[in-house]
Structure formats: structure tokens, C-alpha cells
Amino acid sequence: MKEFWIYIVDHPQRDLPSLIWWAYNSEMHKNHKICLLPTSEISNDFFVKHKPHVIVWNYARRNNIEAIKQTKKLGIYNIVHDTEGIPYELSKYFKGITDDELGYIDEVWCWGSKQAEILNNRNSESHKKPNILVTGSIRYEYMKSLKKCGYKNKLGKLVWNTNYALLSPKYQSKWKEFSDYLFINNTSHQETLDFFLKIASKRQTCSEYIKFFLRGTKNCSLTIRPHPFESSSFYNQDILPEFPSTKISRDVDLNIDLEDHSLVLQNGCQTALDAFIRGMPSIRLEPTAHNIWSKVTPYIEPSILVNNYSSEEFLDDVLGKQKELFEEHNVKAILHNLQYRFNYSVHKRPNNSFKIQIRKLNLAQKLYGIKYQTIMNLKNIKAFLLNKKPNKAKLTSFMVKEYLEAHYEYQHWNFDLKCFLYPKN
């Protein structure tokens, strides 16, 4: 029987390309069966029916820890490989999960040694401590496989990568976003309000920078690329009325936007890392460096940018400065495969004997599965009677199918209600 792995996928542009690439190209998944399961379609009845051996979760937070607990009770091996493995403040890494809840996680694949150190120090006396590995990031191993961007062929074209999904969420109301932040981060109303106001101030500062810059240029081409979970409404109202030629990029792979521009503008956004790996210069739009990504990104006064944005020498200098800053701030300690390859031998533990066991569910696990599936069926009936509509999906299995048809036409895969890959025979 093939080992059956499920990878939870959260977003079609940010996460899907790298996970499919990983499934087909990693030696680790030779002879495995893989399901790419969108976050919006997670359900225990699916896990009970298909009985996967391993689930690789895209994060462990307050909003999915109960699902992780339930799969553990079903005898499934739980791994967490955080899609956003470098939080703006490393002290918040896994902060929303208690030590007891961490015991339901079998492994954590950390992006770097700093994150592993945080988890090891936190659980030094715990008997339920997960196996903590420094692997690097699958997403950035994929980025490294792509050729460098030829930014000198795109002079005068700039892209502003924003990261204000908390203020202007795309998939839910602002109040729901605020409430979710309270729940996930376990903060007070006042702390959360202060944080949101701080983010709003930063967004307005960046917006004023952009408007000053655009007023001083004539031939610049600017694209605004909102965060994948951020609405475009603020930019439609604040930027486009005065600068209608400005483009909004939505639902496009970040790598396509990088390849089509010569300079990234951002303010403490992780796309500074994406751009750096692709050989693309970035600058920040606010003088104060408030997180690791703004610290490794030079600040340029808008008046200076007006006169130099299309200069090859200027862009080369920016990228050279970033290389120095990445070294100075030791980014390789928080992203292992910035310098090395992703650790393909994650199966190999200190005794070199680890292997996911193909196992049948015991009686207790079967009974738990039947009980849970009955509860879920009753909830579905209740929702139908109350005419409750499901939340708008961010990513669906059908979208996974469309991507595979467009990019992996001749590879071995099939699609029924979910997508299953058979990478290597």
C-alpha cells in the first residue's frame, strides 16, 4: 500500500504552485499518493473515509487546533509546515497554541534554526513534545528553482506589494477579521485596537509616499499588488481617482508580477524575501524598520526615488545593499534553505529508522470516526434546514484541477471530488 499524504493548501497563487512542484520533484515522495486539500474543504468525514497516513498542515493556530486533535485521535500522523514560517515577531511563533495542544502535533518542519530554538526552549520539559526539525521552506525551495528576474529589461515598471489584509479583508467583514485576530492571538480588545490603528497609520504613510512619487514622475508604470487576502477597496478609493493609469494586480502568481517589473516597493512585507531570492531589488516606503523584512530593505526618500527609479546603477546599488543587510541580520538562521537546500531527508531521524507506518485503525479510532461522522452529518442537515450558506472558498479542489490541467497535462494524477497525485512510480 502506498503511503498516503495530505497537504493542506491555503491559496492558489501563494501556495499551490510550490506544493505541486514539491510533490512531483522531491525524492521524499517517490511512490507516494498525495492529496492537495484546500483549507476550505477540511472535514473529518473526508479523513475518516480516506484514512490518510500523514497530514501536513499549513499552520497550527486557534482556528484549526481542534481539527488537528481530531485527526490525531484517528491515528493520523500530524506535521505542521507553516506557510508563513517567519512571523513578523518571532516571539509569537506558535504563541496561540498551548503546550498541551502541541502534544497533538507529531512533527514541526521549521523554516530555520531560530524557530526550532523557540519551540525547543518552550517545551524543554514536556513529555508530549513534537519532533522539531529544521527543514527550510518548501515554498522558497520552489522559488530557488526559478530563474532570476531580468529586472534591467523592465526599467520604469514598479510593483507595490501591500500587506494590509487585517484592515481590509477580502473574504470577510472587518469586524469578523478583528474578532478572529482576538481569538487567534488571545489579546485584549484594547491591545488589538491599538495594533489595528498602528497598521492603519503605516498604510496611510505608504500611500502618501506613493502619491508623492507618482506626482513627480511622468513615465512610471505602477502596479499595486494587494496581499492575497486583502481587498482592493482602499486603493480604488485612495490612489486610482488621481492616478487612473495605476494597475491593480489580483489573482496572479507573485512570480509573474516579479518578472514583469524592475523594483519592488513594500513596507515590512515578506515579498522582500521572494524578490531577493529571484534577484529583484526592493525598497521600503517608511523610514522606521519595524520587522525583519523592513530591516533588510533599504529606505529611499521619495524625492530620490523620483529621480532614480529607472536607473540601472540605482537598482544595482539597492540589490547590493540588500545582500549586505541579509548577511548582517543573519536571515539564513530563520530560513535554512536561503543558503542550503531544503532538507530532503526529513524521513531520517537520529537513529535512521523512522518510517511512517501503514497502519489499520484500531477499534477505538474506528468508533471515534463513526461518532464524529454522525455528528457532522447532523450538523450538515441542520445547516441545510436553516438555509445556511457556506463561506466563500478561497481555494477549491476544482481550482486545483484547473491548475494541474494548465501546467501538468502529462503527469499522473486523477480528480474525483478531490485531487490526488501519484508523483513517481
Side-chain angles (χ1 to χ4, degrees):
M1 182 187 296
K2 293 178 180 287
E3 286 186 20
F4 178 18
W5 290 58
I6 288 180
Y7 279 86
I8 306 298
V9 194
D10 200 30
H11 195 273
Q13 285 82 45
R14 184 187 63 187
D15 307 326
L16 186 59
S18 58
L19 286 177
I20 294 179
W21 172 86
W22 170 250
Y24 280 123
N25 289 279
S26 68
E27 290 299 318
M28 185 181 124
H29 285 307
K30 185 177 182 179
N31 297 320
H32 287 177
K33 173 183 175 182
I34 295 175
C35 171
L36 299 175
L37 183 65
T39 305
S40 60
E41 298 177 11
I42 293 173
S43 68
N44 253 38
D45 50 347
F46 178 78
F47 299 144
V48 169
K49 177 181 178 181
H50 291 282
K51 301 178 180 61
H53 303 111
V54 187
I55 300 177
V56 182
W57 299 86
N58 55 333
Y59 56 76
R61 301 173 194 162
R62 295 249 53 78
N63 56 331
N64 73 341
I65 191 62
E66 289 302 320
I68 292 175
K69 288 181 181 179
Q70 290 155 7
T71 54
K72 180 70 171 179
K73 292 176 182 177
L74 289 170
I76 299 170
Y77 196 87
N78 286 314
I79 298 173
V80 174
H81 184 52
D82 204 317
T83 306
E84 298 178 356
I86 308 178
Y88 293 151
E89 296 179 40
L90 281 178
S91 61
K92 294 184 178 180
Y93 190 60
F94 276 76
K95 185 178 180 181
I97 304 299
T98 67
D99 288 349
D100 181 64
E101 289 168 337
L102 272 172
Y104 290 91
I105 300 170
D106 295 287
E107 286 186 13
V108 179
W109 291 356
C110 295
W111 284 21
S113 57
K114 285 283 188 183
Q115 296 91 320
E117 182 182 356
I118 291 169
L119 289 179
N120 279 317
N121 290 341
R122 172 178 165 175
N123 298 286
S124 57
E125 298 180 1
S126 174
H127 296 295
K128 296 183 177 181
K129 182 176 174 181
N131 195 10
I132 299 167
L133 305 174
V134 178
T135 58
S137 164
I138 291 174
R139 172 182 166 188
Y140 286 111
E141 195 65 25
Y142 165 69
M143 293 284 285
K144 287 165 57 181
S145 74
L146 304 175
K147 67 179 182 180
K148 298 291 185 182
C149 295
Y151 64 87
K152 294 181 182 180
N153 298 321
K154 305 292 182 178
L155 295 177
K157 300 184 69 176
L158 284 65
V159 57
W160 177 22
N161 292 332
T162 73
N163 58 334
Y164 305 108
L166 287 174
L167 299 177
S168 188
K170 183 180 179 182
Y171 296 104
Q172 59 187 10
S173 69
K174 294 177 182 178
W175 174 246
K176 183 65 166 61
E177 191 75 25
F178 185 89
S179 301
D180 286 352
Y181 187 90
L182 278 172
F183 173 69
I184 293 171
N185 295 280
N186 195 28
T187 55
S188 70
H189 279 78
Q190 188 60 53
E191 288 175 320
T192 304
L193 179 59
D194 290 343
F195 179 71
F196 274 58
L197 289 173
K198 182 179 178 181
I199 298 299
S201 175
K202 291 181 181 300
R203 181 177 68 177
Q204 193 60 45
T205 297
C206 293
S207 175
E208 295 305 319
Y209 184 114
I210 291 293
K211 286 185 282 191
F212 180 94
F213 169 72
L214 290 176
R215 288 171 188 143
T217 61
K218 293 182 179 180
N219 300 316
C220 173
S221 171
L222 178 70
T223 299
I224 301 175
R225 179 185 171 86
H227 184 281
F229 300 139
E230 181 183 1
S231 166
S232 304
S233 59
F234 175 83
Y235 313 104
N236 289 334
Q237 298 168 16
D238 191 63
I239 304 290
L240 265 61
E242 185 176 353
F243 307 101
S245 63
T246 299
K247 306 181 191 72
I248 302 288
S249 176
R250 293 236 65 123
D251 304 323
V252 175
D253 188 332
L254 170 62
N255 288 293
I256 295 175
D257 275 338
L258 291 179
E259 290 163 4
D260 196 40
H261 294 85
S262 61
L263 179 65
V264 171
L265 312 176
Q266 48 85 26
N267 188 49
C269 175
Q270 192 165 291
T271 55
L273 174 60
D274 298 79
F276 182 78
I277 289 176
R278 296 296 310 279
M280 179 99 163
S282 301
I283 64 169
R284 70 173 190 263
L285 306 182
E286 188 182 30
T288 305
H290 60 277
N291 65 29
I292 182 59
W293 304 123
S294 52
K295 288 177 181 177
V296 298
T297 306
Y299 172 71
I300 304 296
E301 291 283 351
S303 57
I304 296 177
L305 185 64
V306 166
N307 296 316
N308 294 279
Y309 70 93
S310 60
S311 163
E312 287 188 26
E313 183 180 1
F314 170 78
L315 296 175
D316 289 343
D317 287 345
V318 169
L319 188 56
K321 179 61 176 175
Q322 280 195 280
K323 291 177 180 178
E324 295 174 3
L325 290 171
F326 267 70
E327 187 70 27
E328 177 184 335
H329 291 281
N330 197 25
V331 176
K332 64 186 178 183
I334 55 176
L335 182 64
H336 178 76
N337 58 327
L338 179 66
Q339 181 174 357
Y340 307 103
R341 292 187 65 187
F342 186 92
N343 183 6
Y344 281 79
S345 57
V346 288
H347 273 284
K348 297 178 182 178
R349 300 309 186 268
N351 59 7
N352 290 323
S353 63
F354 176 85
K355 184 173 174 61
I356 298 292
Q357 295 299 313
I358 304 298
R359 54 192 179 279
K360 295 182 179 179
L361 296 181
N362 60 36
L363 180 60
Q365 290 165 342
K366 287 181 179 178
L367 292 175
Y368 175 79
I370 293 171
K371 174 184 175 182
Y372 190 87
Q373 197 163 28
T374 302
I375 293 172
M376 289 301 297
N377 288 338
L378 291 173
K379 286 184 176 179
N380 290 337
I381 292 171
K382 182 180 178 181
F384 175 78
L385 293 174
L386 294 175
N387 291 318
K388 287 187 176 180
K389 296 181 180 179
N391 292 330
K392 182 179 179 181
K394 301 170 187 175
L395 173 69
T396 66
S397 290
F398 183 75
M399 293 165 69
V400 176
K401 176 186 178 183
E402 286 185 321
Y403 186 92
L404 282 165
E405 288 176 339
H407 297 86
Y408 290 84
E409 181 180 0
Y410 302 107
Q411 298 289 350
H412 188 186
W413 61 277
N414 66 43
F415 179 88
D416 186 5
L417 294 178
K418 299 285 183 282
C419 175
F420 297 91
L421 307 181
Y422 302 86
K424 296 183 180 181
N425 296 317

